[in-house]
Amino acid sequence: MEKIAFNDLGAQYRHLKEEIDKGIADVISGCHFISGPQTEELEKELCDYTGRKFCVSTSNGTDALLMPLMAKGIGRGDAVFVPALTFFATAEVASLLGATPVFCDVEEDTFNMDPKSLEKQVEKVVKEGKLKPKAVIAVDLFGQPAAFPEIEPICKKYGMTLIEDAAQGFGGQINGKKACSFGDFSATSFFPAKALGCYGDGGAVFTDDEEQAALLKSIRVHGKGSFKYENVRVGLNARLDTLQAAILLPKLHAFDKETEHRNWAAKRYADRLQDKFQVPVVHDGYFSSFGYYTLKAESEEQRSKILEGLKTAGVPTMIYYPMPLHLQKVYAPLGYQEGDMPISEKLCKTVFSLPMHGYITEDVIDYICKTLLGLVS
Ligand SMILES: *Cc1c(COP(=O)(O)O)cnc(C)c1O
């Protein structure tokens, strides 16, 4: 068996080499390294792809999450509701602005924010009266959109801004509506390991609101007014490099084909593993871009055994995520206890992700499945 990659960016480059190399060469010869024409072209194509009216490309996915919170003036005394099972950045952006992240548990089958837990947490915050419920950041974990049809009405009811953290969600759908088009704002990441990744850091924010889009563009460049050296608010330096935009364009053109391949791979994994494992569940009407393929072991001990065995057999794995955010050291002052988010806590002890990308072969999947089944039989 050849060396197995968790996410084979080399295979993707070999497929797209000509266009990527040409894109890079064009940027270098054009010398327009910041906010060049490729950046604008990418934003336009991302609007076309997602169905959103406005796209503001950014320096990374974390800034893409931070900027809508800044645009909404969220800060001290505000509650921002986030799932306990996600990458740290989802909660970090609220903390950066002095707001308080309020954690919600997730659904055991989809790994996404549980709307019932969200409603419970919002009611608790309202009842306590210390924080104002201001925003919800729902995450499209592993490629499947969060339960927006249930989350949207809760946000409307309490007048909260809804932000879709689509850092892992790009390419997902609910009833044909694309990820990056849910809520008031959507944020995505082009970190190399994401389903649509560049060759460095990158991201984008989406909205359908023209005024908010203008605000985001001002925040992106130091709170600029009518021109760069007029500053009307405090902002960031959060632009996407032209080089990264040029690299993303051919990758975006290949994205649907790669997503189809990842869905084929997910099905092949499931066909072989479903007798022994709980394979990922995609709800009716939902479509996952399967940026990650995540299974659940029966226990923490079984997971250790599996990961050890896979490593010995040359199969790379990842744990997304080993610790829920409400139990992270940095949030100890918030006073959460073990047992507060039982499903997130259990998942952190049992989940593991297998190699998954747009160029994975039948042989590799079959080898991984055979190895994995051998470890649990
Ligand atoms: C990757 C990721 C981010 C952050 O994106 P960066 O581009 O690394 O800043 C935020 N949220 C989730 C769920 C992610 O997976």
Side-chain angles (χ1 to χ4, degrees), residues 194-208:
K194 313 288 182 182
L196 178 61
C198 56
Y199 288 165
D201 277 308
V205 199
F206 299 84
T207 182
D208 291 323

Side-chain angles (χ1 to χ4, degrees), residues 194-326:
K194 313 288 182 182
L196 178 61
C198 56
Y199 288 165
D201 277 308
V205 199
F206 299 84
T207 182
D208 291 323
D209 184 318
E210 190 166 7
E211 235 171 82
Q212 295 298 322
L215 202 47
L216 291 170
K217 283 182 185 164
S218 165
I219 290 169
R220 176 170 64 178
V221 187
H222 303 287
K224 75 180 167 87
S226 55
F227 72 109
K228 192 175 169 183
Y229 299 111
E230 181 195 36
N231 305 95
V232 296
R233 59 180 60 82
V234 171
L236 303 166
N237 172 5
R239 293 167 300 225
L240 177 75
D241 292 352
T242 313
L243 267 173
Q244 300 303 343
I247 289 158
L248 282 162
L249 280 163
K251 288 200 184 203
L252 177 59
H253 301 155
F255 185 77
D256 276 343
K257 211 170 140 222
E258 292 175 357
T259 302
E260 206 180 293
H261 188 85
R262 285 193 302 273
N263 268 268
W264 163 84
K267 188 169 178 306
R268 194 168 180 93
Y269 269 134
D271 286 347
R272 276 152 186 69
L273 298 173
Q274 62 197 357
D275 290 345
K276 294 277 176 190
F277 287 94
Q278 281 185 50
V279 297
V281 173
V282 179
H283 280 184
D284 270 357
Y286 284 65
F287 178 78
S288 175
S289 54
F290 274 112
Y292 302 87
Y293 191 81
T294 303
L295 295 173
K296 287 173 240 176
E298 279 166 9
S299 63
E300 201 170 4
E301 296 69 41
Q302 195 205 36
R303 180 174 71 178
S304 302
K305 197 183 135 208
I306 289 170
L307 296 189
E308 193 90 343
L310 288 174
K311 193 173 169 198
T312 307
V315 178
T317 55
M318 298 289 271
I319 296 177
Y320 300 117
Y321 291 90
M323 200 191 283
L325 295 189
H326 66 291

Side-chain angles (χ1 to χ4, degrees), residues 60-62 65 86-87 89-90 139 165 167-168 189 191 194 202 321:
N60 55 62
T62 305
L65 284 169
T86 177
F87 181 60
T90 314
V139 180
D165 179 347
Q168 299 178 22
S189 164
F191 183 79
K194 313 288 182 182
Y321 291 90

Side-chain angles (χ1 to χ4, degrees), residues 68 110 119 156 161-162 214 260 343 360:
T110 64
E119 183 132 45
K156 284 229 163 67
T161 299
L162 176 55
E260 206 180 293
I343 299 186
I360 195 165

Side-chain angles (χ1 to χ4, degrees), residues 13-86:
Y13 177 60
R14 288 192 292 280
H15 275 83
L16 307 176
K17 184 176 187 321
E18 215 172 298
E19 293 140 280
I20 291 175
D21 287 356
K22 183 179 181 305
I24 292 172
D26 285 350
V27 174
I28 294 173
S29 59
C31 290
H32 202 153
F33 296 111
I34 302 287
S35 310
Q38 290 87 343
T39 313
E40 218 170 289
E41 174 61 24
L42 177 71
E43 289 176 344
K44 196 182 146 291
E45 289 201 19
L46 288 170
C47 282
D48 291 344
Y49 188 88
T50 58
R52 276 286 202 193
K53 289 204 181 102
F54 303 98
C55 170
V56 179
S57 60
T58 62
S59 38
N60 55 62
T62 305
D63 284 342
L65 284 169
L66 180 65
M67 287 160 61
L69 294 179
M70 290 172 75
K72 283 286 168 182
I74 283 162
R76 208 155 290 284
D78 295 337
V80 178
F81 299 86
V82 300
L85 184 71
T86 177

